[in-house]
Amino acid sequence: MIRLQDIRKVNDYEWEIPATYRSDMRASVRLFVTRRLLEASLEDLSLEQAINAATLPGVVDPVVVMPDMHQGYGFPIGGVAATRVSDGVVSPGAIGYDINCGVRLLASQIPYEQALPYLDDLASALNRYCPSGVGTEGEYRLSHEELDQVCRLGARWALKRGLASEEDLRRTEEGGCLEGADPNKVSHKAKERGRTQLGTLGAGNHFLEVDVIEQIFDPEAAQAMGLQEGNLALLIHCGSRGFGHQICTDYVQDLQSAVKKYGIHLPDRELVCAPIDSPEGRDYLAAMRAAANYAFCNRQLLAHAARRAFEEVFAGKVRNWHLHQVYDIAHNMGKIETHIVNGKPLKVCVHRKGATRAFGPGFPELPEEYRRLGQPVLVPGSMGTASWVLIGTETSMQRSWGSTCHGAGRVLSRHKAKKEIRGERLRDELEKRGIHVRAGSMSGLAEEAPQAYKDVDEVVETVAGAGIARKVARLRPVAVIKG
């Protein structure tokens, strides 16, 4: 097991495990953490998993770990690894089971003080319009042909049906659609799971959250995003549901044979992978993109449903109830990108697992209104704590593969949280603090209690201190809908 003395301090927010730490490492591990967060991380296997990731064929120095890190399947949640497209591998475990789990932020011109009498009605309307819970089915019952279209079109499928605007798509990562998706590379079982779940929130750490914009740190960026202190905003946190989970399950199993076929030696079989430029690697990427597009469409349909709820509650009561989209970002994705390595452009597959793309200013992939500033980054909290809006920086492009943190990061397992926390008591505590709660189950609520997570403010302070993101706004929850 790695010890604190094996890790080199670069500065107060950055540490390094050198590539010489273990003979099979092909890259160093760069950690964006405070000393306190680093010491806490030694209690699970997240650092060992990051070291294992540094042994992957074609990995480019460094593997990066964010302050919200915790142990995941094979690869730490909060981890980023780039592998060369020419001779590197793609690993489903380094992307995650909930493919394109992500966050969408919608903002309003509704002052909190005006909304206060209607927040309980709003929580009920959102809960009604946005189905949540394990295995929940929504109002969109797709034929197999329609599901294939969602896989190929992503949020454009919703646009064609009048359930999205051009601005929604422009302010979504990749325009809401990854090219190269192929539903023919997706199993029948995954399709059956996904056919009835579009437009649903799911359970676990997924939620809808109504927030008040409590504090602005970057007025210029906030203005570009339409964020005004004291107004309501809405965060949607969810992914590709059972569809993406099944795709990852299928390929984790299928690629075991690819590891043997290509003579890949792994310190942990959970890092199962295939060369990017192999039939197996191409098939997985095509299926992963299908799941990513499903998730983009899913969040778009939830945004449409949330707008219906806002209209129902606020139309005729406030002057402007409209929700405009700020941005939509992915957390669990493998993206083919070109980065500058040793002064030269290099095409890599960036695995971001529980990490957010955080492109700096000037990138043509960003919407015109954000290009000069950098990409919006959305960092959700945990029901009773803050959520944050950040922005990508030039430093993130140089130091962290254009990436930053994605949330608070767990400190208690779901099992331990349920054992230590009573859902009913937690709900009462949140309600006393003015947070209106709608939850599918009390045990599910307990699993996601704020005390099960790290301090999101400390996580954000770390990435801001390291320069791999810049603070824009802090949001405070006033209503939460959980599965």
Side-chain angles (χ1 to χ4, degrees), residues 269-283:
R269 67 192 300 272
E270 291 184 358
L271 277 175
V272 60
C273 56
I276 295 167
D277 192 21
S278 70
E280 296 88 347
R282 288 192 293 270
D283 284 356

PDB file of all heavy atoms in Angstrom, residues 269-283:
ATOM      1  N   ARG A 269      -7.761  -6.945 -13.084  1.00  0.00           N
ATOM      2  CA  ARG A 269      -8.611  -7.340 -14.210  1.00  0.00           C
ATOM      3  C   ARG A 269      -9.806  -6.405 -14.398  1.00  0.00           C
ATOM      4  O   ARG A 269     -10.437  -6.392 -15.460  1.00  0.00           O
ATOM      5  CB  ARG A 269      -9.094  -8.785 -14.044  1.00  0.00           C
ATOM      6  CG  ARG A 269     -10.054  -9.030 -12.895  1.00  0.00           C
ATOM      7  CD  ARG A 269     -10.232 -10.534 -12.655  1.00  0.00           C
ATOM      8  NE  ARG A 269     -10.759 -11.221 -13.817  1.00  0.00           N
ATOM      9  CZ  ARG A 269     -12.063 -11.360 -14.091  1.00  0.00           C
ATOM     10  NH1 ARG A 269     -12.964 -10.837 -13.276  1.00  0.00           N
ATOM     11  NH2 ARG A 269     -12.458 -12.015 -15.161  1.00  0.00           N
ATOM     12  N   GLU A 270     -10.129  -5.574 -13.395  1.00  0.00           N
ATOM     13  CA  GLU A 270     -11.204  -4.597 -13.562  1.00  0.00           C
ATOM     14  C   GLU A 270     -10.823  -3.491 -14.547  1.00  0.00           C
ATOM     15  O   GLU A 270     -11.684  -2.748 -15.017  1.00  0.00           O
ATOM     16  CB  GLU A 270     -11.592  -3.997 -12.208  1.00  0.00           C
ATOM     17  CG  GLU A 270     -12.294  -4.989 -11.286  1.00  0.00           C
ATOM     18  CD  GLU A 270     -12.762  -4.366  -9.989  1.00  0.00           C
ATOM     19  OE1 GLU A 270     -12.518  -3.160  -9.770  1.00  0.00           O
ATOM     20  OE2 GLU A 270     -13.379  -5.086  -9.182  1.00  0.00           O
ATOM     21  N   LEU A 271      -9.524  -3.381 -14.869  1.00  0.00           N
ATOM     22  CA  LEU A 271      -9.071  -2.416 -15.877  1.00  0.00           C
ATOM     23  C   LEU A 271      -9.141  -2.993 -17.294  1.00  0.00           C
ATOM     24  O   LEU A 271      -8.520  -2.452 -18.209  1.00  0.00           O
ATOM     25  CB  LEU A 271      -7.635  -1.968 -15.584  1.00  0.00           C
ATOM     26  CG  LEU A 271      -7.459  -0.851 -14.554  1.00  0.00           C
ATOM     27  CD1 LEU A 271      -5.971  -0.613 -14.303  1.00  0.00           C
ATOM     28  CD2 LEU A 271      -8.131   0.437 -14.997  1.00  0.00           C
ATOM     29  N   VAL A 272      -9.900  -4.059 -17.467  1.00  0.00           N
ATOM     30  CA  VAL A 272     -10.021  -4.721 -18.770  1.00  0.00           C
ATOM     31  C   VAL A 272     -10.162  -3.681 -19.884  1.00  0.00           C
ATOM     32  O   VAL A 272     -10.833  -2.664 -19.734  1.00  0.00           O
ATOM     33  CB  VAL A 272     -11.224  -5.699 -18.743  1.00  0.00           C
ATOM     34  CG1 VAL A 272     -12.529  -4.973 -18.460  1.00  0.00           C
ATOM     35  CG2 VAL A 272     -11.330  -6.466 -20.042  1.00  0.00           C
ATOM     36  N   CYS A 273      -9.490  -3.953 -21.009  1.00  0.00           N
ATOM     37  CA  CYS A 273      -9.392  -2.939 -22.056  1.00  0.00           C
ATOM     38  C   CYS A 273      -9.136  -3.605 -23.405  1.00  0.00           C
ATOM     39  O   CYS A 273      -8.961  -4.825 -23.496  1.00  0.00           O
ATOM     40  CB  CYS A 273      -8.257  -1.963 -21.738  1.00  0.00           C
ATOM     41  SG  CYS A 273      -6.646  -2.781 -21.514  1.00  0.00           S
ATOM     42  N   ALA A 274      -9.099  -2.797 -24.442  1.00  0.00           N
ATOM     43  CA  ALA A 274      -8.744  -3.257 -25.787  1.00  0.00           C
ATOM     44  C   ALA A 274      -8.035  -2.120 -26.502  1.00  0.00           C
ATOM     45  O   ALA A 274      -8.285  -0.940 -26.194  1.00  0.00           O
ATOM     46  CB  ALA A 274      -9.996  -3.674 -26.557  1.00  0.00           C
ATOM     47  N   PRO A 275      -7.137  -2.431 -27.432  1.00  0.00           N
ATOM     48  CA  PRO A 275      -6.520  -1.350 -28.216  1.00  0.00           C
ATOM     49  C   PRO A 275      -7.595  -0.490 -28.873  1.00  0.00           C
ATOM     50  O   PRO A 275      -8.593  -1.009 -29.384  1.00  0.00           O
ATOM     51  CB  PRO A 275      -5.682  -2.094 -29.252  1.00  0.00           C
ATOM     52  CG  PRO A 275      -5.379  -3.424 -28.616  1.00  0.00           C
ATOM     53  CD  PRO A 275      -6.599  -3.758 -27.819  1.00  0.00           C
ATOM     54  N   ILE A 276      -7.398   0.831 -28.843  1.00  0.00           N
ATOM     55  CA  ILE A 276      -8.371   1.748 -29.450  1.00  0.00           C
ATOM     56  C   ILE A 276      -8.581   1.401 -30.911  1.00  0.00           C
ATOM     57  O   ILE A 276      -9.718   1.353 -31.400  1.00  0.00           O
ATOM     58  CB  ILE A 276      -7.886   3.212 -29.290  1.00  0.00           C
ATOM     59  CG1 ILE A 276      -7.856   3.594 -27.808  1.00  0.00           C
ATOM     60  CG2 ILE A 276      -8.772   4.173 -30.079  1.00  0.00           C
ATOM     61  CD1 ILE A 276      -7.109   4.879 -27.509  1.00  0.00           C
ATOM     62  N   ASP A 277      -7.478   1.128 -31.597  1.00  0.00           N
ATOM     63  CA  ASP A 277      -7.551   0.820 -33.034  1.00  0.00           C
ATOM     64  C   ASP A 277      -7.622  -0.686 -33.258  1.00  0.00           C
ATOM     65  O   ASP A 277      -6.790  -1.273 -33.943  1.00  0.00           O
ATOM     66  CB  ASP A 277      -6.338   1.427 -33.750  1.00  0.00           C
ATOM     67  CG  ASP A 277      -6.501   1.390 -35.265  1.00  0.00           C
ATOM     68  OD1 ASP A 277      -7.660   1.272 -35.730  1.00  0.00           O
ATOM     69  OD2 ASP A 277      -5.489   1.463 -35.977  1.00  0.00           O
ATOM     70  N   SER A 278      -8.611  -1.319 -32.645  1.00  0.00           N
ATOM     71  CA  SER A 278      -8.871  -2.748 -32.843  1.00  0.00           C
ATOM     72  C   SER A 278     -10.368  -2.913 -33.024  1.00  0.00           C
ATOM     73  O   SER A 278     -11.143  -2.036 -32.627  1.00  0.00           O
ATOM     74  CB  SER A 278      -8.394  -3.569 -31.629  1.00  0.00           C
ATOM     75  OG  SER A 278      -9.226  -3.316 -30.497  1.00  0.00           O
ATOM     76  N   PRO A 279     -10.820  -4.018 -33.598  1.00  0.00           N
ATOM     77  CA  PRO A 279     -12.275  -4.208 -33.740  1.00  0.00           C
ATOM     78  C   PRO A 279     -13.005  -4.116 -32.407  1.00  0.00           C
ATOM     79  O   PRO A 279     -14.066  -3.493 -32.310  1.00  0.00           O
ATOM     80  CB  PRO A 279     -12.387  -5.616 -34.345  1.00  0.00           C
ATOM     81  CG  PRO A 279     -11.080  -5.840 -35.039  1.00  0.00           C
ATOM     82  CD  PRO A 279     -10.065  -5.109 -34.219  1.00  0.00           C
ATOM     83  N   GLU A 280     -12.416  -4.714 -31.366  1.00  0.00           N
ATOM     84  CA  GLU A 280     -13.052  -4.692 -30.046  1.00  0.00           C
ATOM     85  C   GLU A 280     -13.099  -3.274 -29.462  1.00  0.00           C
ATOM     86  O   GLU A 280     -14.113  -2.859 -28.895  1.00  0.00           O
ATOM     87  CB  GLU A 280     -12.295  -5.609 -29.081  1.00  0.00           C
ATOM     88  CG  GLU A 280     -12.320  -7.076 -29.473  1.00  0.00           C
ATOM     89  CD  GLU A 280     -11.179  -7.484 -30.413  1.00  0.00           C
ATOM     90  OE1 GLU A 280     -10.500  -6.578 -30.976  1.00  0.00           O
ATOM     91  OE2 GLU A 280     -10.968  -8.693 -30.567  1.00  0.00           O
ATOM     92  N   GLY A 281     -11.999  -2.536 -29.602  1.00  0.00           N
ATOM     93  CA  GLY A 281     -11.954  -1.162 -29.103  1.00  0.00           C
ATOM     94  C   GLY A 281     -12.920  -0.261 -29.849  1.00  0.00           C
ATOM     95  O   GLY A 281     -13.631   0.554 -29.243  1.00  0.00           O
ATOM     96  N   ARG A 282     -12.970  -0.410 -31.170  1.00  0.00           N
ATOM     97  CA  ARG A 282     -13.894   0.407 -31.973  1.00  0.00           C
ATOM     98  C   ARG A 282     -15.351   0.085 -31.635  1.00  0.00           C
ATOM     99  O   ARG A 282     -16.197   0.975 -31.586  1.00  0.00           O
ATOM    100  CB  ARG A 282     -13.617   0.208 -33.463  1.00  0.00           C
ATOM    101  CG  ARG A 282     -12.306   0.856 -33.928  1.00  0.00           C
ATOM    102  CD  ARG A 282     -12.210   0.886 -35.434  1.00  0.00           C
ATOM    103  NE  ARG A 282     -12.083  -0.447 -36.017  1.00  0.00           N
ATOM    104  CZ  ARG A 282     -10.928  -1.066 -36.256  1.00  0.00           C
ATOM    105  NH1 ARG A 282      -9.785  -0.470 -35.934  1.00  0.00           N
ATOM    106  NH2 ARG A 282     -10.897  -2.266 -36.799  1.00  0.00           N
ATOM    107  N   ASP A 283     -15.646  -1.201 -31.403  1.00  0.00           N
ATOM    108  CA  ASP A 283     -17.021  -1.593 -31.057  1.00  0.00           C
ATOM    109  C   ASP A 283     -17.447  -0.969 -29.732  1.00  0.00           C
ATOM    110  O   ASP A 283     -18.560  -0.447 -29.600  1.00  0.00           O
ATOM    111  CB  ASP A 283     -17.140  -3.119 -30.965  1.00  0.00           C
ATOM    112  CG  ASP A 283     -17.163  -3.795 -32.327  1.00  0.00           C
ATOM    113  OD1 ASP A 283     -17.167  -3.074 -33.348  1.00  0.00           O
ATOM    114  OD2 ASP A 283     -17.160  -5.048 -32.362  1.00  0.00           O
TER     115      ASP A 283
END
